[in-house]
Amino acid sequence: MVLSHAASDSDVSVHSTFASRYVRTSLPRFRMPENSIPKEAAYQIINDELMLDGNPRLNLASFVTTWMEPECDKLIMASINKNYVDMDEYPVTTELQNRCVNMIAHLFNAPLGETETAVGVGTVGSSEAIMLAGLAFKRKWQNKRRAEGKPFDKPNIVTGANVQVCWEKFARYFEVELKEVKLREGYYVMDPEQAVEMVDENTICVAAILGSTLNGEFEDVKLLNDLLVLKNKETGLDIPIHVDAASGGFIAPFLYPELEWDFRLPQVKSINVSGHKYGLVYAGIGWVVWRNKEDLPDELIFHINYLGADQPTFTLNFSKGNVLRHFSITISSSLQNL
Ligand SMILES: Cc1ncc(COP(=O)(O)O)c(C=O)c1O
């Protein structure tokens, strides 16, 4: 939570009923205490407070599940102390992440040669994945416009009004106009025809959702692709598609393998998927994969060299923990879909 509330007279100190054998004076709630307290007391106080949270196993509201196989818990605990940004120090963790990215790219039918590796990255969830994908589209569009000597200060993105809030966040944080296709009575996802009508020379991409947050419905990515191909031919534009497969990416390939929504469609240039929306996976993992290397502009990749060898990264944060979850989550996701 970014914003905290101010202290009222009644709650300026923390209740330490069960730790009172260690703590004789009350502890301030919103300021650092003058003196340290024994670690046992700190544990007791925090643990007692946390008991007032809800029970995660009974929480269906965020459709992110809250139980993992005990083997996954063990893998997570065994790697919780690794700072994954240091790829040189943790090459095996890096390798596991890369395997996940490749598995997902193949699952989504990326056009990769036998020996070609996929382009993608593990993220905190679909929101971070979408920020990265959106940035790649914005930068690619700007580069093209700049090269053509055209203005590149008014980028827009076309989505349905049913998009998850992370798309609004992307638009606001990264200064891209969000052009939303309105929903109508009885039709609660983006209408591809209307979306394509709204596209113009400043459109960085059209974002389609596979698994609308509101009702789980898949948008018609194939129709969107075909209409865009026509529009691009008529106008000379080259508008790409991003598929937000946060909650459909690990369902469609297994339940509807014939459904064309992924890299089988030529205009689909990137796809995000959450790991934590399918059961048996704790919150905190997602991925974004790109169709080709050319779809991720080079200048967005940072080359960090002060930790050892050259380490290319494309993420919003630097330090990052607990990543054997990339591995355990893949186990869980595949278990789920057997
Ligand atoms: C369609 C869609 N996109 C993106 C997100 C954001 O995903 P995450 O919670 O993994 O950041 C959600 C979350 O509900 C979603 O339903």
Side-chain angles (χ1 to χ4, degrees):
M1 187 65 77
V2 178
L3 302 174
S4 54
H5 61 82
S8 69
D9 285 349
S10 62
D11 62 3
V12 287
S13 53
V14 172
H15 305 290
S16 48
T17 316
F18 296 106
S20 55
R21 65 185 179 282
Y22 296 110
V23 183
R24 300 266 172 248
T25 53
S26 58
L27 292 170
R29 189 180 290 267
F30 298 108
R31 291 174 195 273
M32 292 255 197
E34 284 299 316
N35 301 308
S36 61
I37 58 171
K39 61 185 188 319
E40 294 82 356
Y43 172 80
Q44 176 93 49
I45 291 167
I46 295 169
N47 196 47
D48 289 350
E49 278 212 55
L50 284 173
M51 288 176 121
L52 298 174
D53 266 347
N55 177 351
R57 292 275 291 279
L58 303 179
N59 178 5
L60 301 178
S62 66
F63 59 88
V64 170
T65 60
T66 48
W67 189 85
M68 287 185 82
E69 301 287 342
E71 288 74 17
C72 296
D73 284 1
K74 276 199 231 164
L75 286 171
I76 289 168
M77 287 318 292
S79 59
I80 202 162
N81 53 358
K82 294 179 183 173
N83 184 1
Y84 172 51
V85 73
D86 196 342
M87 297 180 206
D88 242 14
E89 195 62 36
Y90 307 118
V92 180
T93 303
T94 306
E95 161 69 11
L96 291 176
Q97 184 213 226
N98 292 344
R99 282 187 211 165
C100 288
V101 166
N102 278 276
M103 285 178 198
I104 292 168
H106 282 291
L107 186 68
F108 295 168
N109 295 296
L112 295 167
E114 259 319 294
T115 54
E116 212 177 338
T117 50
V119 184
V121 64
T123 58
V124 177
S126 277
S127 304
E128 187 193 4
I130 283 165
M131 303 294 148
L132 299 177
L135 279 172
F137 283 118
K138 183 179 173 191
R139 184 55 64 98
K140 245 198 124 182
W141 172 83
Q142 284 175 323
N143 287 348
K144 184 162 175 275
R145 300 278 295 176
R146 195 183 283 115
E148 292 167 353
K150 294 182 178 159
F152 50 91
D153 59 340
K154 288 198 169 51
N156 70 56
I157 187 166
V158 175
T159 69
N162 53 319
V163 276
Q164 211 259 358
V165 66
C166 64
W167 285 98
E168 291 164 34
K169 245 188 201 179
F170 164 73
R172 204 180 299 172
Y173 288 1
F174 296 102
E175 299 182 332
V176 174
E177 183 199 351
L178 188 67
K179 291 170 71 172
E180 289 181 337
V181 178
K182 296 237 173 340
L183 309 183
R184 55 179 192 269
E185 185 75 41
Y187 195 90
Y188 303 113
V189 289
M190 179 176 69
D191 177 343
E193 286 186 16
Q194 286 184 29
V196 172
E197 270 168 33
M198 285 167 79
V199 154
D200 60 31
E201 59 176 4
N202 291 323
T203 303
I204 63 171
C205 81
V206 181
I209 315 178
L210 204 78
S212 174
T213 317
L214 307 180
N215 62 1
E217 192 173 338
F218 289 180
E219 292 183 346
D220 192 340
V221 192
K222 168 101 174 76
L223 177 59
L224 177 67
N225 175 84
D226 296 350
L227 292 172
L228 264 182
V229 167
L230 279 179
K231 173 120 181 184
N232 287 341
K233 212 180 260 170
E234 278 165 25
T235 57
L237 297 171
D238 186 16
I239 311 290
I241 298 173
H242 174 89
V243 183
D244 175 357
S247 55
F250 287 137
I251 291 182
F254 301 98
L255 292 191
Y256 314 106
E258 306 307 326
L259 184 75
E260 289 180 50
W261 63 274
D262 55 16
F263 293 119
R264 282 167 286 183
L265 305 173
Q267 289 314 110
V268 174
K269 305 298 180 188
S270 52
I271 301 175
N272 69 277
V273 61
S274 296
H276 47 221
K277 295 210 174 85
Y278 301 88
L280 307 180
V281 178
Y282 302 139
I285 183 73
W287 293 271
V288 54
V289 282
W290 283 270
R291 179 184 197 86
N292 286 310
K293 287 190 177 51
E294 299 72 49
D295 295 307
L296 175 57
D298 257 354
E299 65 267 35
L300 292 181
I301 302 173
F302 278 78
H303 291 267
I304 296 158
N305 56 17
Y306 78 85
L307 296 171
D310 174 53
Q311 303 180 356
T313 69
F314 183 34
T315 51
L316 294 182
N317 57 314
F318 186 73
S319 299
K320 182 167 174 169
N322 208 5
V323 281
L324 219 51
R325 295 174 59 176
H326 290 288
F327 178 54
S328 42
I329 280 160
T330 305
I331 299 177
S332 286
S333 297
S334 5
L335 281 172
Q336 173 86 344
N337 288 305
L338 283 178

